[in-house]
């Protein structure tokens, strides 16, 4: 059905977007992967992109259009010259910091396809997207979807279609349901117990090959399979995880699959109980919680060797933990490939203390991760060097956010955080590093009168902080904490450090630009 809808002839009354949706684990990603592979074999796939929360570039729109454009140029060589010319004529198109997602997509994808539309009259190309709900840049994605719907309404025979597999979030639900350009397919309504049973039979047969199992075919019994199908409840990812748990090596618990089946059937049919069943028996392993929390909180999947370096332990100690978690994590066969989660619901589980209990990946652990990353990444030879440059300050900002104390969010950790930031970029003070990354709550936490005065007096460096720094919300909150000396060339206002409350700055607060001199930070007010 999905393929027939995607490949249907171009007609004015046919929607351009097929949106497959359903709850976590119902098979959306499996279908989108299979559809992309089949379309690629038939030469109909223009490009594909699979979002995945917590996986660096795959959880953001940073490289989304560039990736689609690169794939389109490879799959449609007749459009490659146009894409190359557009990118060369306007370098800003390649960066979301200087061009909106909608603008990028229109010029790098839609316009090149328009130049070859005559050759696509009978076979429109197709873009497959998965996990759109897992993209962190939700407003930009929503704007792109709205723009595409409007574009297809204006040009109903444009030779491009989308197959999207994703949950439908609230901010998109109404727009998708109301549009004639979107066909919604509820996957839950198309997943039968018969489908689950077929997939279960295939999986069990595959796992039983080469194992010492009952030779008369009596296990699992017809009743056992019926109970498993009912227990799985239409979730392919739940079925896959149960199979992995059922046929895990007996070295873990000394049990055979026949011994484990009754215990699995006693479990409540939800992910939380399944995750606890797998994780809790491993809690006594050395460094177990440190490893688990690091995987959950990392902004990009880390390899075994990176996790070991971050925690300052041997790689075999990481491997010793992960070999017991194959059912819920994709553990590579080497120390250099990233460790990834089979499903993002595991991260959701670990991040909520009410669900995970003692397994909770507490946000205060961001400080430990930042410490380990900065300690290990003091040289380019470190396995964590690239990760550190991208995410070290972000981990510190998340720690500050988790503390939630507006008057003194860093508390007793202030000196430790400042020391870490001082080490992060040699020769640059902590506040400068925080400002350059635009983590304003972290900056605000660092603007503490006693800390700043003590450190500046000890170092003998003058400290000047221009008040027009970052969002006005941060600016106002900072003025309540510290008396700031401000030198604004445009309005000639000066406020010096000391007791008392400075007066508000005259004139509107427009766009700000940050630059640094040798000793002090300049936030220069510039015209918009």
């Amino acid at each position: 059905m999905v393929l027939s809808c995607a490949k249907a002839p171009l007609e004015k009354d046919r929607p351009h977007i097929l949106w497959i949706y359903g709850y976590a684990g119902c098979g959306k990603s499996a279908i989108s992967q299979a559809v992309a592979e089949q379309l690629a074999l038939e030469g109909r796939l223009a490009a594909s992109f699979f979002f995945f929360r917590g996986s660096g570039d795959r959880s953001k729109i940073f490289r989304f259009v560039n990736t689609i454009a690169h794939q389109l140029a490879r799959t449609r060589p007749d459009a490659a010259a146009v894409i190359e010319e557009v990118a060369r004529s306007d370098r800003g198109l390649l960066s979301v910091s200087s061009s909106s997602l909608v603008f990028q997509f229109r010029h790098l994808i839609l316009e090149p396809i328009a130049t070859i539309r005559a050759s696509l009259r009978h076979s429109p190309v197709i873009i497959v997207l998965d996990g759109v709900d897992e993209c962190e840049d939700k407003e930009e994605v929503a704007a792109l979807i709205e723009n595409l719907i409007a574009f297809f309404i204006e040009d109903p025979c444009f030779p491009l279609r989308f197959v999207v597999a994703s949950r439908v979030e609230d901010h998109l639900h109404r727009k998708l349901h109301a549009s004639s350009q979107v066909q919604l397919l509820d996957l839950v309504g198309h997943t039968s117990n018969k489908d689950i049973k077929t997939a279960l039979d295939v999986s069990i047969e595959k796992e039983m090959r080469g194992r010492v199992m009952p030779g008369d075919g009596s296990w699992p019994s017809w009743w056992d399979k019926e109970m498993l199908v009912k227990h799985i409840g239409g979730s392919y990812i739940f079925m896959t995880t149960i199979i992995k748990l059922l046929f895990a090596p007996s070295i873990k618990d000394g049990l055979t699959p026949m011994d484990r089946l009754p215990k699995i059937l006693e479990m409540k049919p939800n992910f939380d109980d399944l995750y606890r069943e797998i994780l809790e028996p491993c809690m006594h392993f050395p460094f177990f919680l440190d490893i688990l929390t690091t995987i959950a909180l990392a902004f990009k999947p880390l390899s075994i060797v990176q996790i070991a370096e971050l925690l300052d332990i041997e790689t075999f100690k990481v491997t010793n933990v992960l070999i017991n978690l194959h059912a819920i994590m994709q553990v590579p066969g080497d120390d250099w490939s990233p460790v990834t989660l089979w499903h993002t619901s595991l991260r959701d589980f670990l991040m909520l203390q009410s669900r995970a209990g003692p397994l909770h990946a507490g946000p205060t652990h961001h400080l430990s991760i930042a410490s380990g990353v900065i300690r290990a990444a003091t040289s380019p030879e470190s396995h964590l060097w690239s990760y550190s440059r991208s995410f070290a300050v972000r981990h510190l900002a998340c720690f500050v956010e988790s503390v939630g104390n507006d008057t003194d969010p860093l508390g007793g950790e202030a000196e430790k955080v400042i020391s870490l930031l001082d080490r992060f970029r040699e020769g640059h003070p902590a506040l400068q590093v925080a400002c350059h990354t635009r983590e304003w709550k972290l900056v605000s936490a660092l603007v503490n009168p006693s800390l700043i005065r003590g450190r500046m007096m000890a170092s003998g460096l003058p400290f000047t902080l221009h008040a027009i720094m970052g969002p006005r919300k941060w600016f106002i909150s900072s003025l309540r904490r510290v008396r700031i000396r401000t030198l604004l060339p445009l309005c000639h206002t000066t406020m010096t450090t000391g007791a008392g409350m400075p007066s508000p700055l005259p004139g509107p607060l427009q766009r700000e630009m940050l630059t640094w001199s040798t000793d002090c930070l300049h936030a220069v007010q510039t015209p918009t």
Side-chain angles (χ1 to χ4, degrees), residues 218 220-230 261 265:
S218 61
S221 67
W222 175 88
W223 178 249
D224 288 335
K225 290 184 180 179
E226 289 297 311
M227 292 297 293
L228 273 174
V229 169
K230 182 179 179 181
L261 182 56
L265 291 174

Side-chain angles (χ1 to χ4, degrees), residues 225-409:
K225 290 184 180 179
E226 289 297 311
M227 292 297 293
L228 273 174
V229 169
K230 182 179 179 181
H231 201 61
I232 289 165
S235 172
Y236 284 102
I237 189 67
F238 193 59
M239 181 201 74
T240 301
T241 307
I242 280 181
I243 290 296
K244 290 178 181 295
L245 180 61
L246 182 62
F247 289 96
S250 60
I251 191 173
K252 177 180 177 181
D253 54 11
L255 301 178
T256 66
M258 289 75 78
D259 297 324
R260 292 195 192 108
L261 182 56
K263 296 180 63 177
I264 289 175
L265 291 174
E266 290 174 2
M267 293 165 46
K268 294 179 182 179
N270 62 51
F271 285 118
D272 287 11
D273 285 313
L274 184 64
Y275 290 146
R276 279 191 286 268
E277 176 72 17
I278 295 169
L279 293 170
E280 286 179 353
C282 304
M283 290 183 66
H284 66 283
F285 282 43
F287 305 104
F288 171 77
L289 286 177
D290 291 332
I291 294 169
L292 184 66
T293 304
T294 297
I295 293 172
L297 297 183
F299 295 116
K300 185 177 181 179
L302 300 172
S303 66
I304 290 174
V305 71
Q306 287 177 315
I307 295 170
E309 186 174 355
L310 191 154
L311 298 175
D312 197 21
I313 60 178
E314 294 88 348
T315 55
F316 74 83
K317 292 183 178 178
V318 179
T319 305
N320 189 47
V321 168
L322 295 183
I323 57 174
N324 298 281
L325 306 180
H326 274 282
I328 54 177
M329 293 184 191
Q330 188 170 2
V331 183
D334 58 73
D335 292 344
W336 309 98
S337 302
V339 178
T340 56
L341 309 183
W342 284 116
H343 200 268
T344 54
S345 61
L346 174 56
R347 180 177 284 106
D348 297 336
F349 166 75
L350 294 172
M351 299 287 268
L352 282 178
Q353 189 169 16
S354 59
R355 294 171 62 185
L359 297 165
H360 178 226
T364 54
H365 190 71
H366 278 291
L367 180 61
S368 299
I369 295 178
S371 302
V373 167
I374 293 174
R375 180 190 66 246
T378 54
S379 70
E381 287 75 26
S382 167
H383 303 301
L384 286 163
W385 189 84
S386 178
Y387 184 89
S388 175
R389 308 302 281 186
S390 300
F391 301 114
V393 180
R394 189 174 169 191
H395 279 295
L396 287 174
C398 287
F399 167 74
V400 170
E401 188 74 32
S402 71
V403 175
N405 185 338
D406 287 338
T407 58
D408 187 13

Side-chain angles (χ1 to χ4, degrees), residues 137-281:
D137 305 299
K138 298 186 183 302
E139 292 183 5
E140 289 85 349
V141 170
L144 176 62
I145 298 299
E146 289 182 50
N147 186 268
L148 285 172
I149 290 173
F151 178 84
F152 290 136
I153 290 174
E154 286 183 20
D155 192 347
C157 289
F158 192 79
L160 171 65
R161 285 206 174 98
F162 286 84
V163 174
V164 183
S166 168
R167 286 180 290 183
V168 179
E169 297 194 321
D170 292 340
H171 64 288
L172 290 174
H173 193 274
R174 189 179 305 168
K175 296 180 180 65
L176 296 180
H177 274 278
S179 174
S180 61
Q181 285 299 323
V182 180
Q183 179 179 348
L184 288 167
L185 175 61
D186 184 356
L187 198 58
V188 177
H190 291 78
T191 304
S192 66
N193 282 347
K194 182 179 179 181
D195 295 330
I196 293 293
K197 187 176 185 302
T198 300
L200 185 65
D201 285 339
V202 172
S203 299
I204 290 176
E205 182 181 353
K206 179 181 177 182
E207 292 291 340
M208 289 177 65
R209 291 176 193 153
R211 293 176 181 266
V212 180
M213 307 295 289
D216 57 1
S218 61
W219 188 93
S221 67
W222 175 88
W223 178 249
D224 288 335
K225 290 184 180 179
E226 289 297 311
M227 292 297 293
L228 273 174
V229 169
K230 182 179 179 181
H231 201 61
I232 289 165
S235 172
Y236 284 102
I237 189 67
F238 193 59
M239 181 201 74
T240 301
T241 307
I242 280 181
I243 290 296
K244 290 178 181 295
L245 180 61
L246 182 62
F247 289 96
S250 60
I251 191 173
K252 177 180 177 181
D253 54 11
L255 301 178
T256 66
M258 289 75 78
D259 297 324
R260 292 195 192 108
L261 182 56
K263 296 180 63 177
I264 289 175
L265 291 174
E266 290 174 2
M267 293 165 46
K268 294 179 182 179
N270 62 51
F271 285 118
D272 287 11
D273 285 313
L274 184 64
Y275 290 146
R276 279 191 286 268
E277 176 72 17
I278 295 169
L279 293 170
E280 286 179 353

